[in-house]
Amino acid sequence: MKKSFVVTLALVFVLGIAGTAFAANPFVDVPANHWAYASVSKLAAAGIIDGYGDGTFVGSNTMTRYEMAQIVAKAMARSDKADAATKAQIEKLAAEFANELDSLGVRVAKLEKNADNVKITGEIRFADYAYDKNVGGEDNDTLRTRLWITGQVNDRWTYGGMIEHDGQNLRTNSNNDSETRLRQAWVEGKLGDIDVTAGRFNYTPVYGVILDDDGDGIKLGYSKGDWRIDVFAIRPNISNAWYNPDAWAANAGPGVPSGQAQVYGAVLGYDFHKKLNAQVAWYNIDATDENPYSASNIFEVALGYTFSDKFAMWAEYIHGDDPADIGLSKNGWAARMDYGEIDREKPGSWGLRAGYYDVPAGAPLTTTVDLDITGEGLGYKGYQLGATYVVAKNIDLNFDYYDFKGKENNDLKDKLYFSYIQFYF
């Protein structure tokens, strides 16, 4: 391709791109009386061509594909100002020089959208769990790998999935204690003004004190102005002994069907302004007809306030049923403060957190905190302290300390020192 051909691209790259004016020609070998002077000047003014370091354009030379790709890349950078016809021409050239553009590190958005309809990202976590009294679990070092899959169905619907390899015990180097599974698979999109999520997905309403887990089900959401509402029916992996079928079977004898309890509920949120928001949530646990605690209800009322970009806090009131009507407390609360600004793209960024939890026996289904002592179904209370530090781009180091005991039984207690490093890709 002769370099003189580039001047014809002025009709594509320059004349169709608004805001490009004539400028003094920077090339000594393109005199003012040359037939291509105007086009070359426009291309230079637009930053699409820059010639050689000695101030020459050398229009008679043969152009390499790599040089042409450089020109196309510069045109792509200005394509937001082009008309429809010019954009179409630029896209055709981008397709032709896709390999060269890739070597330049230029991402061809439209080509990617068509060719890479399915995208995969991931994370790997090395974690150490150190317990005090081993009520919550046994000390272990684990490696967990997650691959996140997203796929575009159409302009309004997407697919999501998560493959997880979990439980790889670094102390035993045994494959018998780990498994690989498609842990989540769901679709989400819109039906009119309604947001829909359906399949097996993670759901964390409010701040995760009551529920934070994967579950099979469906969630419908609607928002207008400062209001938003979710309604859901989900079957999560409940750990609370009052509703967990395995724990109930152990206490009540045979005849209890397997499978997790169904949870129905709604979350209503309102933003008073950009710093203050409120949420009200209701959960109804429908375990089985054989489980007498099937009709339990849980309520949350929460407030969150953002003081600044680095400081935020939330607090909530919790009301749960006394599942067996044996005099257990029905009321509780939780609060947490976060300080700092964690950004995985910014090495050296950090954050601190501190929380206190006083959660009644019938309330936690599967909580977001990492120390779980709800297996006895007697609630929990205690505090959490934690920190995160971004050691390098997409690598963060974390530490959390939990000190919990049973809300109804102080002898049920444990401490957890939880440290982990995560890599994202």
Side-chain angles (χ1 to χ4, degrees), residues 237-295:
N237 294 304
I238 295 176
S239 57
N240 192 316
W242 294 109
Y243 315 119
N244 181 282
D246 295 329
W248 169 245
N251 293 329
V256 177
S258 60
Q260 294 294 331
Q262 186 79 34
V263 180
Y264 303 93
V267 181
L268 178 66
Y270 180 72
D271 295 327
F272 293 98
H273 52 75
K274 64 181 181 180
K275 291 190 174 184
L276 178 64
N277 65 83
Q279 297 179 79
V280 178
W282 162 73
Y283 311 80
N284 173 263
I285 297 89
D286 182 11
T288 66
D289 292 338
E290 289 79 4
N291 189 331
Y293 315 130
S294 173

Side-chain angles (χ1 to χ4, degrees), residues 26-337:
F27 305 120
V28 296
D29 58 345
V30 184
N33 61 352
H34 193 280
W35 67 270
Y37 178 86
S39 295
V40 171
S41 297
K42 283 190 175 185
L43 287 167
I48 293 173
I49 60 173
D50 50 19
Y52 294 94
D54 61 358
T56 61
F57 177 61
V58 194
S60 61
N61 282 8
T62 299
M63 176 177 286
T64 67
R65 288 183 63 87
Y66 187 80
E67 288 177 315
M68 185 62 195
Q70 290 178 311
I71 293 173
V72 174
K74 292 174 182 178
M76 289 168 61
R78 293 177 56 85
S79 64
D80 60 321
K81 299 179 180 179
D83 58 28
T86 303
K87 286 181 179 179
Q89 291 293 331
I90 292 174
E91 287 169 4
K92 287 181 181 180
L93 287 165
E96 169 65 26
F97 295 94
N99 291 335
E100 288 78 13
L101 289 168
D102 183 66
S103 69
L104 288 171
V106 178
R107 301 174 67 89
V108 185
K110 185 165 184 178
L111 296 178
E112 285 185 341
K113 184 176 180 180
N114 294 331
D116 299 330
N117 192 46
V118 176
K119 299 183 184 296
I120 299 177
T121 57
E123 62 183 67
I124 184 170
R125 185 184 76 179
F126 296 86
D128 175 75
Y129 296 81
Y131 296 90
D132 185 29
K133 297 184 178 298
N134 289 331
V135 173
E138 296 182 358
D139 293 356
N140 64 86
D141 300 315
T142 62
L143 173 62
R144 185 188 74 185
T145 302
R146 288 177 169 177
L147 297 177
W148 299 92
I149 305 166
T150 57
Q152 194 74 30
V153 178
N154 56 42
D155 291 340
R156 294 173 66 86
W157 286 84
T158 58
Y159 164 85
M162 189 260 281
I163 299 172
E164 181 179 79
H165 181 73
D166 196 12
Q168 185 174 339
N169 194 326
L170 299 178
R171 297 190 181 190
T172 63
N173 192 28
S174 171
N175 288 325
N176 296 328
D177 53 8
S178 63
E179 62 177 347
T180 301
R181 55 181 174 162
L182 180 63
R183 178 167 170 174
Q184 298 177 20
W186 74 94
V187 293
E188 59 183 332
K190 278 186 171 292
L191 292 176
D193 293 330
I194 305 298
D195 297 311
V196 181
T197 304
R200 176 169 293 180
F201 55 94
N202 181 269
Y203 187 40
T204 309
V206 194
Y207 297 107
V209 178
I210 304 302
L211 175 63
D212 177 13
D213 196 22
D214 304 333
D216 297 325
I218 185 169
K219 175 174 70 72
L220 306 177
Y222 177 77
S223 61
K224 186 174 183 179
D226 296 324
W227 292 92
R228 60 194 179 279
I229 185 170
D230 284 349
V231 294
F232 59 89
I234 188 170
R235 194 179 295 273
N237 294 304
I238 295 176
S239 57
N240 192 316
W242 294 109
Y243 315 119
N244 181 282
D246 295 329
W248 169 245
N251 293 329
V256 177
S258 60
Q260 294 294 331
Q262 186 79 34
V263 180
Y264 303 93
V267 181
L268 178 66
Y270 180 72
D271 295 327
F272 293 98
H273 52 75
K274 64 181 181 180
K275 291 190 174 184
L276 178 64
N277 65 83
Q279 297 179 79
V280 178
W282 162 73
Y283 311 80
N284 173 263
I285 297 89
D286 182 11
T288 66
D289 292 338
E290 289 79 4
N291 189 331
Y293 315 130
S294 173
S296 294
N297 291 280
I298 305 166
F299 298 91
E300 279 180 293
V301 179
L303 286 175
Y305 193 85
T306 302
F307 294 89
S308 68
D309 292 340
K310 291 188 176 182
F311 182 38
M313 69 173 298
W314 57 262
E316 66 176 53
Y317 164 75
I318 304 165
H319 178 85
D321 280 345
D322 175 2
D325 196 21
I326 56 176
L328 301 178
S329 173
K330 297 182 179 181
N331 301 307
W333 64 281
R336 174 168 152 164
M337 294 185 296

Side-chain angles (χ1 to χ4, degrees), residues 366-388:
T366 172
T367 181
T368 204
V369 299
D370 294 288
L371 177 58
D372 186 1
I373 61 171
T374 62
E376 298 295 327
L378 297 177
Y380 65 94
K381 58 184 178 181
Y383 64 92
Q384 167 199 8
L385 301 173
T388 296

